[in-house]
């Protein structure tokens, strides 16, 4: 997206991201914070919000194109996240 990290000043678990039919609760630190096959929102290496599909292709699954709207909302609740990182 073109949404800079600086706009997301509240704790990462207090954001809800909507893109197409999908809603992502919270901004994760890394792909491993979410289960394989689920959508994840994170801050990319260029400092902007990115939408990804853990072990998949988010653009294909969402039929995304340039200019597709992304909505970011602050929530009042804390989003519960689980540790889905693989153990090796």
């Amino acid at each position: 997206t073109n949404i800079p990290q600086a706009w997301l000043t509240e704790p990462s678990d207090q954001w809800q991201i909507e893109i197409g039919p999908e809603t992502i609760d919270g901004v994760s630190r890394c792909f491993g914070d979410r289960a394989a096959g689920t959508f994840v929102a994170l801050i990319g290496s260029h400092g902007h919000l990115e939408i990804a599909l853990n072990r998949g292709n988010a653009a294909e699954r969402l039929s995304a194109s340039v200019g597709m709207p992304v909505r970011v909302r602050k929530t009042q609740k804390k989003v519960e996240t689980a540790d889905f990182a693989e153990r090796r």
Side-chain angles (χ1 to χ4, degrees):
T1 71
N2 63 350
I3 301 168
Q5 180 179 12
W7 289 5
L8 306 173
T9 58
E10 300 298 323
S12 61
D13 63 348
Q14 292 184 8
W15 294 104
Q16 189 173 65
I17 296 89
E18 295 176 0
I19 181 167
E22 298 296 326
T23 299
I24 304 166
D25 289 323
V27 177
S28 298
R29 291 171 295 152
C30 61
F31 290 98
D33 286 347
R34 302 293 171 122
T38 61
F39 285 95
V40 59
L42 44 81
I43 303 300
S45 60
H46 293 285
H48 288 86
L49 181 68
E50 294 183 5
I51 308 299
L53 182 64
N54 192 359
R55 297 192 182 174
N57 185 323
E60 184 178 285
R61 183 109 160 260
L62 291 166
S63 299
S65 60
V66 173
M68 183 175 193
V70 175
R71 290 188 175 89
V72 179
R73 280 192 272 216
K74 182 180 172 197
T75 64
Q76 297 300 318
K77 63 180 180 170
K78 286 196 162 218
V79 177
E80 296 295 323
T81 58
D83 180 9
F84 291 108
E86 286 187 27
R87 308 279 189 248
R88 293 184 192 238

